[in-house]
Every structure is written in C-alpha cells, then in structure tokens.
Amino acid sequence: MTKTLRRGYWCECWTQPVRSGRTEPTLLASFDAYSAAEADRWIAVALRTISPALDADASDEAWTWLYDARIDTRLALLCREPCTVTITHATTRITWTIHPVLFLPLAHRSTAARHETSTDLDAMNYARPTGGWGATACGMGAGWR
C-alpha cells in the first residue's frame, strides 16, 4: 500500500514566565491541522475562549490579532510560511506557533492485519480496564488521538 505525504500544519501553544528566573517555555497543547484555515482557527478559538480571563492589555492584543492580524497569518500560512502569535498576560507570555509540515501516513488500527496473539487475547476474555485497551489505559489521556 503506497500513500503520499500529506501537507498540513503543526500547531503548538507554549507558555513562559516573563519575570521569573526560569526561562524555559512549557508546552501546553499541540494540534495537527490539515489546512491554513484549520490552523489559524485553532488559535482564534483559543483566544476567544481565554479572552474574558485576560488582563486588559492581553485582551487588547488578542482581539487585535482576531480582527486585524489574523488575515496576515492566514496569508502567510497559505504561502507555507511559519507563523507565531504571542500575547502577554500578567507575568506569563503565551505563544502559539504554526509550522507547515508534511504528515507521514500511518497504518490505521482497523485496516491493519491483526496479529494472531490479539485474537488469542480476545478468546481468553481477560478483565479489561474501564474503557478497554484504548488511550486511557495506555496512559495517554482522554485528549490523545
């Protein structure tokens, strides 16, 4: 089975203290988008969601990007250029990054041939954790996909 690489965007949200001695950013979230619209929409939804909790300056930064600078971000993404959106709330800098990428095709569980051991396990009727053998049982958490 031959599949081609798929163009998309790798999106991340980072936070970093502005005034503390610690300088390393912390990754809060990541997202794989398959279009420029989907990538900048991810940031727009995040900004609209957190804007009521932001201080006045950070809220102004957020709404300025939403109303004025978002189109520049979309145009850059359509040209396959990386983009960054940053706001500073109190003592925390929040940065969203979007990078054009090529996604590698991966085998999907439902289409991959099952190993005979997996059939044996089903037949043995083991007690399974709540939710089955899925992402939660593997320690990936509910947000993993």
Side-chain angles (χ1 to χ4, degrees):
M1 170 166 65
T2 305
K3 292 193 175 193
T4 59
L5 298 176
R6 183 170 181 181
R7 286 184 172 206
Y9 301 88
W10 184 247
C11 310
E12 295 177 334
C13 178
W14 295 84
T15 61
Q16 184 174 18
V18 177
R19 295 187 192 116
S20 76
R22 199 177 108 225
T23 60
E24 299 149 11
T26 301
L27 179 64
L28 285 184
S30 59
F31 177 71
D32 51 324
Y34 291 94
S35 69
E38 189 178 13
D40 83 49
R41 188 178 315 118
W42 183 68
I43 296 173
V45 168
L47 286 173
R48 285 188 183 110
T49 301
I50 67 171
S51 66
L54 297 173
D55 60 38
D57 291 338
S59 183
D60 287 346
E61 290 176 62
W63 288 104
T64 297
W65 182 82
L66 285 164
Y67 285 116
D68 298 331
R70 185 176 178 189
I71 190 66
D72 296 330
T73 300
R74 175 78 61 92
L75 291 172
L77 293 173
L78 290 170
C79 293
R80 308 283 302 157
E81 297 173 8
C83 296
T84 301
V85 176
T86 301
I87 62 170
T88 302
H89 168 69
T91 61
T92 303
R93 180 178 300 116
I94 307 167
T95 302
W96 289 266
T97 61
I98 304 173
H99 297 278
V101 295
L102 293 173
F103 290 110
L104 298 172
L106 300 175
H108 192 278
R109 283 191 235 190
S110 65
T111 60
R114 292 179 68 185
H115 190 274
E116 61 185 54
T117 305
S118 64
T119 307
D120 294 341
L121 287 174
D122 285 343
M124 296 171 109
N125 196 17
Y126 282 106
R128 295 185 175 155
T130 304
W133 296 106
T136 305
C138 297
M140 295 292 211
W144 182 80
R145 55 181 178 119

